[in-house]
Amino acid sequence: MGQIIAVAQQKGGAGKTMIAAQFGAALAEQGRVALLDIDPQGSLTAWGRLREGAAKANPGLEVIAVSGWRLANELEKLKSSHDYVLVDTPPVIDSDARRAIRGADLVLVPMNPAPPDLWAAEGTLKLAAEERRPAALLFNRAPAASKLRKRLEAEIAARRLTLLPVALANRAGYANAFADGLGVTEAGATTQAAEEVRAAVQALRALLG
Ligand SMILES: Nc1ncnc2c1ncn2[C@@H]1O[C@H](COP(=O)(O)OP(=O)(O)OP(=O)(O)O)[C@@H](O)[C@H]1O
Ligand SMILES: [Mg+2]
């Protein structure tokens, strides 16, 4: 049985779609991965379509769009045929996002290391707690070291929330690879971004156990 990771955060533009794509491509280096797009914006689906013409795209990585009552069934089905299923959710907690969180082995909550993103994450963390699903925060577009990042880390630790020990920096490489329908690990195997994503995925796998 595979594991389901719901990428959720009410804050728009926190990096949900980018992280689903990047982590999906990196996890697909070692296993069978499906990406499920439940956001009506359809950005991940559009990325999936770009991949069809991209020579460097791993054809083993599936991108599927589903919504509504079929979602829970689809999750179960994908879980039995894949090692990892990542779900990209919309920036609102609607009934589909709830279904995705309910079915998840881990809820991954990307955030810029700044208070507004932590405030916006509260609703998602609360829902994960209500559904008794483990949640982990992930710093995205994070400066290597800043006073604010340290402050946020301290606050997260004091509240006994889980923070993925590897953060993603703000890198043009992420947006460039995404625009080509690729993950950074596919675009250039040895870039800093590729190393960073592989390290983050390793940390994620450790969390999943
Ligand atoms: N680490 C990063 N470095 C550089 N650019 C990034 C990074 N993460 C995300 N971006 C860019 O930020 C923008 C927002 O990211 P993304 O679309 O993944 O956010 P989202 O949370 O899915 O947004 P929405 O809530 O609208 O679904 C995109 O243009 C993406 O390319
Ligand atoms: Mg998105």
Side-chain angles (χ1 to χ4, degrees):
M1 271 304 220
Q3 288 176 302
I4 298 176
I5 300 136
V7 188
Q9 155 69 293
Q10 280 174 281
K11 176 106 185 166
K16 297 175 285 296
T17 303
M18 172 67 71
I19 285 160
Q22 299 298 346
F23 280 28
L27 285 165
E29 292 185 315
Q30 301 177 46
R32 293 163 302 169
V33 181
L35 296 180
L36 202 53
D37 185 6
I38 67 165
D39 183 353
Q41 292 181 104
S43 314
L44 190 63
T45 307
W47 178 78
R49 247 183 261 121
L50 277 176
R51 293 176 65 75
E52 289 163 18
K56 291 180 178 173
N58 177 349
L61 177 59
E62 281 179 76
V63 186
I64 301 153
V66 179
S67 63
W69 60 271
R70 288 171 46 232
L71 176 58
N73 269 349
E74 189 69 26
L75 277 176
E76 276 310 303
K77 209 177 84 191
L78 289 171
K79 194 174 171 164
S80 63
S81 53
H82 293 77
D83 299 308
Y84 298 98
V85 183
L86 286 100
V87 189
D88 180 27
T89 69
V92 285
I93 297 187
D94 59 7
S95 49
D96 278 356
R98 263 176 196 279
R99 285 188 184 104
I101 287 173
R102 189 169 295 147
D105 294 286
L106 181 76
V107 182
L108 187 63
V109 186
M111 59 174 284
N112 189 250
D117 280 49
L118 187 56
W119 300 331
E122 301 291 355
T124 308
L125 294 172
K126 186 162 167 274
L127 181 55
E130 281 168 14
E131 298 288 345
R132 297 200 184 80
R133 310 324 296 164
L137 296 161
L138 161 62
F139 283 168
N140 184 32
R141 308 189 95 154
S146 75
K147 246 189 204 162
L148 194 51
R149 176 172 168 177
K150 289 216 171 70
R151 198 172 118 191
L152 269 281
E153 278 169 355
E155 184 173 341
I156 288 164
R159 291 181 52 191
R160 296 175 180 279
L161 299 170
T162 304
L163 175 66
L164 207 73
V166 179
L168 302 188
N170 188 34
R171 299 182 194 280
Y174 286 121
N176 289 336
F178 193 91
D180 291 334
L182 299 173
V184 288
T185 47
E186 296 170 319
T190 58
T191 59
Q192 269 185 311
E195 295 307 321
E196 184 173 79
V197 167
R198 287 200 189 98
V201 156
Q202 219 32 57
L204 180 74
R205 292 167 67 134
L207 261 190
L208 283 163

Tab-separated table of all heavy atoms in Angstrom, residues 7 9 11-18 20 37 39 41-44 88-91 178, ligand 2:
chain	number	residue	atom	x	y	z
A	7	VAL	N	-1.151	18.043	0.094
A	7	VAL	CA	-0.456	19.319	0.214
A	7	VAL	C	-1.541	20.386	0.354
A	7	VAL	O	-2.329	20.610	-0.575
A	7	VAL	CB	0.436	19.599	-1.014
A	7	VAL	CG1	1.293	20.833	-0.768
A	7	VAL	CG2	1.320	18.389	-1.326
A	9	GLN	N	-2.892	24.228	2.255
A	9	GLN	CA	-2.611	25.491	2.951
A	9	GLN	C	-3.578	26.513	2.368
A	9	GLN	O	-3.649	26.669	1.143
A	9	GLN	CB	-1.127	25.867	2.720
A	9	GLN	CG	-0.737	27.320	2.825
A	9	GLN	CD	-0.793	27.912	4.226
A	9	GLN	OE1	-1.890	28.041	4.799
A	9	GLN	NE2	0.347	28.293	4.772
A	11	LYS	N	-3.490	29.641	2.506
A	11	LYS	CA	-2.822	30.820	1.939
A	11	LYS	C	-2.549	30.561	0.455
A	11	LYS	O	-1.881	29.585	0.103
A	11	LYS	CB	-1.508	31.046	2.688
A	11	LYS	CG	-0.678	32.175	2.143
A	11	LYS	CD	-0.744	33.368	3.046
A	11	LYS	CE	-0.014	34.550	2.444
A	11	LYS	NZ	-0.357	35.773	3.138
A	12	GLY	N	-3.048	31.419	-0.398
A	12	GLY	CA	-2.806	31.274	-1.828
A	12	GLY	C	-1.336	31.559	-2.137
A	12	GLY	O	-0.699	32.380	-1.492
A	13	GLY	N	-0.804	30.838	-3.091
A	13	GLY	CA	0.555	31.103	-3.554
A	13	GLY	C	1.653	30.640	-2.614
A	13	GLY	O	2.813	31.032	-2.767
A	14	ALA	N	1.317	29.795	-1.639
A	14	ALA	CA	2.332	29.332	-0.668
A	14	ALA	C	3.292	28.322	-1.287
A	14	ALA	O	4.372	28.067	-0.743
A	14	ALA	CB	1.653	28.733	0.558
A	15	GLY	N	2.878	27.733	-2.415
A	15	GLY	CA	3.757	26.774	-3.091
A	15	GLY	C	3.208	25.354	-3.148
A	15	GLY	O	3.950	24.418	-3.446
A	16	LYS	N	1.902	25.201	-2.891
A	16	LYS	CA	1.308	23.854	-2.886
A	16	LYS	C	1.544	23.116	-4.204
A	16	LYS	O	2.028	21.976	-4.223
A	16	LYS	CB	-0.215	23.943	-2.640
A	16	LYS	CG	-0.596	24.528	-1.301
A	16	LYS	CD	-2.102	24.695	-1.166
A	16	LYS	CE	-2.678	25.856	-1.957
A	16	LYS	NZ	-2.208	27.184	-1.546
A	17	THR	N	1.200	23.775	-5.302
A	17	THR	CA	1.285	23.121	-6.607
A	17	THR	C	2.744	22.850	-6.981
A	17	THR	O	3.094	21.770	-7.459
A	17	THR	CB	0.609	24.004	-7.672
A	17	THR	OG1	-0.744	24.239	-7.260
A	17	THR	CG2	0.616	23.342	-9.037
A	18	MET	N	3.580	23.849	-6.730
A	18	MET	CA	5.018	23.707	-7.026
A	18	MET	C	5.604	22.521	-6.257
A	18	MET	O	6.330	21.689	-6.822
A	18	MET	CB	5.716	25.011	-6.617
A	18	MET	CG	7.198	24.975	-6.681
A	18	MET	SD	7.770	24.815	-8.363
A	18	MET	CE	7.357	26.445	-8.957
A	20	ALA	N	3.987	19.932	-4.856
A	20	ALA	CA	3.422	18.650	-5.313
A	20	ALA	C	4.187	18.186	-6.557
A	20	ALA	O	4.580	17.015	-6.665
A	20	ALA	CB	1.937	18.810	-5.607
A	37	ASP	N	-4.702	16.213	-8.851
A	37	ASP	CA	-5.037	17.633	-8.842
A	37	ASP	C	-6.511	17.785	-8.497
A	37	ASP	O	-7.375	17.389	-9.275
A	37	ASP	CB	-4.744	18.238	-10.221
A	37	ASP	CG	-4.944	19.745	-10.250
A	37	ASP	OD1	-5.207	20.336	-9.174
A	37	ASP	OD2	-4.825	20.343	-11.337
A	39	ASP	N	-7.625	20.877	-7.422
A	39	ASP	CA	-7.832	22.323	-7.442
A	39	ASP	C	-8.478	22.715	-8.767
A	39	ASP	O	-7.901	22.446	-9.828
A	39	ASP	CB	-6.483	23.035	-7.276
A	39	ASP	CG	-6.624	24.548	-7.207
A	39	ASP	OD1	-7.757	25.057	-7.416
A	39	ASP	OD2	-5.607	25.223	-6.943
A	41	GLN	N	-8.440	25.332	-10.247
A	41	GLN	CA	-7.516	26.163	-11.037
A	41	GLN	C	-6.741	25.308	-12.059
A	41	GLN	O	-6.300	25.810	-13.084
A	41	GLN	CB	-6.492	26.869	-10.144
A	41	GLN	CG	-7.059	27.941	-9.237
A	41	GLN	CD	-5.971	28.612	-8.394
A	41	GLN	OE1	-5.579	29.731	-8.685
A	41	GLN	NE2	-5.479	27.927	-7.368
A	42	GLY	N	-6.538	24.028	-11.725
A	42	GLY	CA	-5.949	23.091	-12.676
A	42	GLY	C	-4.490	23.332	-13.048
A	42	GLY	O	-4.039	22.864	-14.097
A	43	SER	N	-3.728	24.012	-12.197
A	43	SER	CA	-2.325	24.308	-12.547
A	43	SER	C	-1.478	23.044	-12.663
A	43	SER	O	-0.631	22.933	-13.557
A	43	SER	CB	-1.682	25.224	-11.506
A	43	SER	OG	-2.534	26.286	-11.193
A	44	LEU	N	-1.713	22.107	-11.753
A	44	LEU	CA	-0.907	20.884	-11.784
A	44	LEU	C	-1.263	20.047	-13.021
A	44	LEU	O	-0.383	19.447	-13.648
A	44	LEU	CB	-1.146	20.073	-10.499
A	44	LEU	CG	-0.198	18.900	-10.262
A	44	LEU	CD1	1.241	19.376	-10.110
A	44	LEU	CD2	-0.613	18.109	-9.033
A	88	ASP	N	-2.696	17.810	-4.687
A	88	ASP	CA	-2.590	19.275	-4.694
A	88	ASP	C	-3.984	19.853	-4.472
A	88	ASP	O	-4.897	19.610	-5.263
A	88	ASP	CB	-2.026	19.747	-6.041
A	88	ASP	CG	-1.884	21.266	-6.099
A	88	ASP	OD1	-1.715	21.891	-5.024
A	88	ASP	OD2	-1.941	21.823	-7.207
A	89	THR	N	-4.145	20.601	-3.387
A	89	THR	CA	-5.470	21.096	-2.998
A	89	THR	C	-5.611	22.596	-3.282
A	89	THR	O	-4.618	23.303	-3.424
A	89	THR	CB	-5.724	20.831	-1.493
A	89	THR	OG1	-4.861	21.678	-0.727
A	89	THR	CG2	-5.471	19.377	-1.119
A	90	PRO	N	-6.848	23.086	-3.364
A	90	PRO	CA	-7.067	24.523	-3.605
A	90	PRO	C	-6.797	25.345	-2.339
A	90	PRO	O	-6.733	24.785	-1.244
A	90	PRO	CB	-8.538	24.598	-4.006
A	90	PRO	CG	-9.166	23.395	-3.393
A	90	PRO	CD	-8.111	22.333	-3.306
A	91	PRO	N	-6.661	26.669	-2.501
A	91	PRO	CA	-6.376	27.513	-1.327
A	91	PRO	C	-7.605	27.798	-0.464
A	91	PRO	O	-7.705	28.859	0.144
A	91	PRO	CB	-5.823	28.807	-1.953
A	91	PRO	CG	-6.399	28.845	-3.322
A	91	PRO	CD	-6.617	27.427	-3.765
A	178	PHE	N	9.251	24.231	-13.725
A	178	PHE	CA	7.790	24.071	-13.753
A	178	PHE	C	7.226	24.536	-15.100
A	178	PHE	O	6.356	23.874	-15.679
A	178	PHE	CB	7.155	24.863	-12.600
A	178	PHE	CG	5.712	24.521	-12.361
A	178	PHE	CD1	5.362	23.514	-11.467
A	178	PHE	CD2	4.698	25.203	-13.017
A	178	PHE	CE1	4.026	23.188	-11.255
A	178	PHE	CE2	3.364	24.884	-12.804
A	178	PHE	CZ	3.022	23.881	-11.926
B	2	MG	MG	-1.901	25.696	-6.460
